[in-house]
């Protein structure tokens, strides 16, 4: 059972998840191309546009080390072959972006699970989350961003983990408002993640996590210089 959907992919690599609940988990990262959200601090701006003239082959993208707007199209079958070709051994796949939920990810999740992978997705919550029931959903809500998209209630309801970027008090207030949408029987893990490791943001995140019994998420991969 495989799908013929062709996903637009900016890069694929194997590393260790550096943030949130899955910190430390060896993972294959699949970065999908395209994101209309427009966060000013975004560190993957090269994934925003899907330019048809920048479509290339998987071989070229995999050979390239630097961040690039180039992308390639692959079905799930082709992606699984790519994992094999590169000798990846991680058993968790992280679908990220860009905004991966611009795509219907159900065929991708189903196929990966069928091959023994666990799957997680990182989303801004501004698109419907179309994933398998077992997929771990990390919602990093992006509120009032330039693209004018709103965080959806159904995204908050589906989240296993809500990891909120924080730099100032108003971000904490925004999060508290969103949490009103969490269903009574759901218990998503709540993380604050200081934006760009700024000291003020980190101090605020630490203080707030202690006061509210939330968790602190640090981008540990940046401390040790891995992708
Ligand atoms: S949602 Fe993610 S990829 Fe899109 S602009 Fe914001 S940080 Fe960047």
């Amino acid at each position: 059972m495989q799908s013929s959907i062709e996903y637009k992919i900016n890069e694929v690599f194997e590393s260790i998840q550096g943030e949130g609940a899955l910190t430390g988990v060896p993972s294959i990262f699949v970065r999908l191309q395209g994101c209309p959200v427009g966060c000013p601090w975004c560190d993957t701006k090269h994934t925003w546009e899907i330019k048809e003239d920048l479509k290339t082959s998987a071989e070229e993208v995999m050979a390239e080390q630097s961040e690039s707007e180039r992308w390639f199209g692959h079905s799930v079958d082709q992606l699984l072959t790519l994992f094999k070709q590169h000798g990846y051994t991680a058993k968790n796949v992280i679908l990220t972006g860009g905004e991966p939920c611009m795509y219907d990810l159900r065929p991708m999740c189903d196929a990966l699970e069928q091959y023994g992978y666990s799957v997680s997705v990182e989303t801004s919550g501004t698109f419907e989350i179309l994933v398998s029931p077992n997929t771990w959903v990390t919602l990093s809500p992006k509120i009032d961003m330039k693209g004018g998209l709103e965080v959806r209630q159904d995204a908050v309801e589906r989240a296993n983990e809500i990891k909120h970027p924080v730099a100032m008090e108003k971000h904490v207030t925004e999060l508290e408002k969103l949490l009103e949408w969490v269903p009574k029987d759901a218990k998503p893990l709540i993380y604050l993640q200081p934006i760009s490791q700024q000291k003020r943001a980190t101090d605020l995140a630490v203080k707030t996590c202690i006061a509210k019994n939330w968790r602190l998420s640090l981008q540990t991969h940046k401390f040790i210089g891995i992708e």
Side-chain angles (χ1 to χ4, degrees), residues 153 156-159 178-188:
Q153 180 165 348
V156 176
E157 290 169 352
R158 175 62 181 82
L178 275 190
L179 292 180
E180 291 172 10
W181 281 339
V182 173
K184 289 219 173 348
D185 54 345
K187 297 216 177 325

Side-chain angles (χ1 to χ4, degrees), residues 35 37-39 41-44 47-48 97-99 124 142:
C35 182
V37 178
C39 308
W41 66 82
C42 178
D43 54 11
T44 53
T47 65
W48 286 10
E99 174 43 78
S124 63
K142 304 300 186 326

Side-chain angles (χ1 to χ4, degrees), residues 166-203:
V166 66
M168 51 187 92
E169 293 283 354
K170 81 165 185 153
H171 297 138
V172 177
T173 313
E174 287 166 353
L175 173 60
E176 282 177 317
K177 192 152 175 32
L178 275 190
L179 292 180
E180 291 172 10
W181 281 339
V182 173
K184 289 219 173 348
D185 54 345
K187 297 216 177 325
L189 302 174
I190 311 297
Y191 282 87
L192 290 184
Q193 182 165 294
I195 293 175
S196 306
Q197 291 87 48
Q198 296 155 6
K199 172 143 177 49
R200 240 185 78 208
T202 305
D203 290 348

